[in-house]
Amino acid sequence: MAHIDLGVDETLFPGINGPMRFRPETARPLNELAEVLLRGPHPLTPGERELIAAYVSGLNECTFCCSSHSAFAAAQLDEGMPLVDQVRANLDTAPVSAKLRTLLRIAGAVREDGRKVTTELVEAARAEGAGDLEIHDTVLIAAAFCMYNRYVDGLATLAPDDPDRYAESAERIIAEGYHA
């Protein structure tokens, strides 16, 4: 049970869904940010951007966000959950493009401390073809997911154990987006 009464059945509205219903006026801009960062027009695919969110959430040990965004990424990547699991287990050996690997390294640095994003990390991403928008949004996705993770875990919200719950949410997010 969450630390506060969210006014909803947490089994029906687990994770971030409960707090979003508790404060719809703050949910709106948080969902708009997620929509722009993860689904809007971009050189990175929605699956790649969701993978960044899942990777950061996993590093932060946020069960709900990691499970959710892993499912969202898997549903939008040809390689599915095996790729997501490989990235989360060992970024160095995961079969992703060199560009995505460098961006994930930037995301990991942001998660640790924004000042850990070095000129060398940025130059490595540029050398692999990452442009300013991809670098900017990788940093912002990572920073935003540190906030989302702390929001979810700071209120001690419910994280379902059933992977099917996250797969169902993935279908809804892909079809309707984060505004729904």
Side-chain angles (χ1 to χ4, degrees), residues 139-157:
V139 169
L140 187 51
I141 291 166
F145 273 85
C146 287
M147 176 190 60
Y148 291 128
N149 299 159
R150 283 155 182 78
Y151 184 37
V152 166
D153 287 342
L155 289 172
T157 63

Side-chain angles (χ1 to χ4, degrees), residues 111-164:
R111 176 255 166 207
E112 189 176 337
D113 181 333
R115 293 165 293 199
K116 299 271 180 164
V117 179
T118 63
T119 300
E120 292 78 18
L121 285 172
V122 172
E123 290 306 318
R126 287 190 192 291
E128 296 300 340
D132 289 348
L133 180 62
E134 292 159 310
I135 294 166
H136 174 277
D137 285 5
T138 294
V139 169
L140 187 51
I141 291 166
F145 273 85
C146 287
M147 176 190 60
Y148 291 128
N149 299 159
R150 283 155 182 78
Y151 184 37
V152 166
D153 287 342
L155 289 172
T157 63
L158 176 71
D161 293 325
D162 182 2
D164 289 342

Side-chain angles (χ1 to χ4, degrees), residues 52 55-56 59 103-113 116-117 138 142:
I52 294 168
Y55 182 69
V56 169
L59 292 174
L103 292 171
L104 287 161
R105 284 191 182 116
I106 289 172
V110 169
R111 176 255 166 207
E112 189 176 337
D113 181 333
K116 299 271 180 164
V117 179
T138 294

Side-chain angles (χ1 to χ4, degrees), residues 28-100:
R28 190 173 310 106
L30 293 173
N31 281 322
E32 288 174 4
L33 180 61
E35 183 71 21
V36 168
L37 289 175
L38 302 175
R39 294 175 42 84
H42 205 276
L44 296 175
T45 70
E48 290 170 328
R49 288 176 280 158
E50 290 284 2
L51 184 59
I52 294 168
Y55 182 69
V56 169
S57 297
L59 292 174
N60 282 330
E61 299 178 18
C62 180
T63 301
F64 179 81
C65 293
C66 182
S67 298
S68 295
H69 294 279
S70 290
F72 301 172
Q76 298 176 87
L77 295 168
D78 292 338
E79 304 85 354
M81 193 59 79
L83 176 63
V84 175
D85 290 341
Q86 288 174 303
V87 166
R88 292 196 50 245
N90 188 338
L91 179 57
D92 292 331
T93 62
V96 295
S97 71
K99 178 173 87 173
L100 184 56

